[in-house]
Amino acid sequence: MLHTNLDINEKGNLTFAGYDTVELAKEYKTPLYLLDEERIREKCRTYLGAMKKHFGEGSTALYASKALSLKEIYRIAKEEGMSVDVVSGGEIYTAKTAGFPMENVYFHGNNKTDDEIEYAIECGIGYFVADCREELIAINSFAQKKNIVQKIILRLTPGIDTHTYEAVRTGQVDSKFGTAIETGQAIEITEFALSLSNISLEGFHCHVGSQVFDGQTFCDSADIMLDYIAFVKEKLGYEAKILNLGGGYGVRYVESDPHLDIEKSIGEVSVHIKKKCSESGIDMPKILMEPGRSIVADAGLTLYSVGSVKTITGYKSYVAIDGGMTDNPRYALYKSAYSSIIANKAKEEADFCCAIAGKCCESGDLIAEDIMLQKPERGDILAVMVTGAYNYSMSSNYNRIPRPPVVMLSKEGSRVVVKRESYEDVAKNDI
Ligand SMILES: *Cc1c(COP(=O)(O)O)cnc(C)c1O
């Protein structure tokens, strides 16, 4: 199986986190998001352990909560000692109401509004990851009003082109995020940040992309960032305390994706960074990484019921499910590949080639094309694997379809952590 939390039981049903998925579909109905609590905790511990072991005290991992933002995730992150990234007022609110300590929150985003900036400062947010000049001015002025000095780190673009999808590449010079080093604009904004009295510049940030399987990407961006830190030290006499290398470690969605040993890769990156720091004559800053996808992706699985099975003579077959782009828009957005199985026929041969279609009135509403499934029939349970990241968090109510519930699975039992939306919920803000 794709991941160790997946298996097949004696009934021939798919199991996830030790639970019979067909039983869960009966109990909670479909569509249904499942989460494996132990897997999420394990991943937090892997990152926290590796960062501390290889980079020392003070270096740590932040969970990039845009991957999956709901109260229970912030509670788990808090218990595990993870810090978190947020990217909006809504994520700040969710973390705060879950009791997450605000001093361990980093606020990202390329266009934070004045309202969001004021709200974040009122909440006592730990750090802003500041993106641009206008934002620095706004943070400084709200901080002045509150009579505080707000800690920030500056987002820079190191000019790295990762080999990944266009839409999730963020490190190249031509990007809506951050300020480019190459063009000389980074040093200008650094100098400006240092001149503001109610801002304390703690260091620099970069994030070069997603689905990265090779630690070399982090080494390359660290090289550029550490060169920049050395340059700033020489030019402005300022020594950065923090270097945040962003997130992006990859996840196995399909059998052909590589296996990744996160602990080992972080170890290799640390050897490279330590060497680079001593060559550049700078003290190693605290190193931060901010994984999102790799914390939660394989801790998620979505269950659907099969509806119609339509074979267009001479063309192909469509298997329609009771969800689709409203709960998983990633195929429609990026043609992201997923692995699927008919959960109640998990032992049978997958010899039926088809596209998996959602129920939206939209031709692009697909979850997969050219995928092999066990022979599907109306009423079967379809499981789509590795859906913990960017599924629930990217979901919508298109066609006024209510969002599925999120059920957390642990050794103690299963529990609803987000309720299924009702029709009333869908229309609740309509006047
Ligand atoms: C999205 C994002 C992350 C997390 O990326 P993953 O690929 O989910 O690990 C981290 N940092 C920033 C700034 C991001 O935008």
Side-chain angles (χ1 to χ4, degrees), residues 290-352:
E290 32 185 43
R293 182 192 310 274
S294 55
I295 299 279
V296 289
D298 67 10
L301 180 118
T302 310
L303 296 178
Y304 303 97
S305 293
V306 172
S308 69
V309 181
K310 185 180 286 181
T311 297
I312 308 171
T313 311
Y315 291 87
K316 66 174 169 196
S317 300
Y318 286 91
V319 175
I321 51 172
D322 54 356
M325 67 186 291
T326 45
D327 59 79
N328 179 2
R330 294 190 68 251
Y331 189 82
L333 277 172
Y334 323 119
K335 291 232 178 292
S336 307
Y338 282 95
S339 302
S340 300
I341 189 169
I342 302 283
N344 52 305
K345 297 175 178 169
K347 273 194 180 141
E348 292 176 23
E349 200 185 338
D351 56 1
F352 187 81

Side-chain angles (χ1 to χ4, degrees), residues 64 66-67 85 87 108 155 170 177 205 207 209-211 246-249 290-294 390:
K66 71 175 197 267
D85 280 359
V87 294
H108 276 275
R155 178 160 185 170
T170 52
F177 296 103
H205 169 277
H207 171 71
S210 243
Q211 269 304 73
Y249 269 121
E290 32 185 43
R293 182 192 310 274
S294 55
Y390 306 112

